[in-house]
Amino acid sequence: MKKKKLHTDFQQAVEFVNNYKDPIPADLLLKLYAYYKVANENYSNPGSKTPLINAFKANALIQAQNLSMEQAMKAYVKLVNSELRELK
């Protein structure tokens, strides 16, 4: 996938998720969260006020930490296309 197309596809997938109206399963949200953070090179600590949610988010980030920015973008787009767009 060409870099410009990948960035466009990623931005469209992010917009799709941001506008998604139905509930998204928690495990899918955690994967999307981790891929998004890695894709944007944002490694700051999770900011939830709930310690348990922070723990789940931190675990998701640990699982995705070895991905490059491009790999994370591709994984995000693939997940959105296979799990969310498929449902619409």
Side-chain angles (χ1 to χ4, degrees):
M1 193 178 287
K2 299 231 186 229
K3 217 171 199 177
K4 187 173 182 179
K5 180 170 176 12
L6 175 59
H7 283 273
T8 301
D9 289 350
F10 176 70
Q11 289 304 322
Q12 289 174 347
V14 168
E15 187 176 324
F16 181 82
V17 171
N18 287 339
N19 294 318
Y20 199 77
K21 301 293 182 208
D22 296 328
I24 299 174
D27 61 327
L28 185 59
L29 276 175
L30 287 168
K31 288 179 186 176
L32 290 170
Y33 167 82
Y35 295 150
Y36 181 85
K37 295 277 274 189
V38 172
N40 286 288
E41 297 181 322
N42 179 350
Y43 301 103
S44 62
N45 290 328
S48 176
K49 294 179 182 176
T50 307
L52 185 59
I53 291 172
N54 281 337
F56 280 117
K57 286 181 172 183
N59 183 51
L61 280 170
I62 289 168
Q63 291 179 34
Q65 71 183 354
N66 293 325
L67 295 176
S68 70
M69 187 171 74
E70 286 186 3
Q71 288 171 321
M73 285 182 179
K74 287 178 184 178
Y76 190 100
V77 170
K78 182 177 178 181
L79 196 57
V80 169
N81 289 341
S82 67
E83 297 293 328
L84 296 179
R85 289 189 195 270
E86 174 178 284
L87 299 175
K88 287 291 180 187

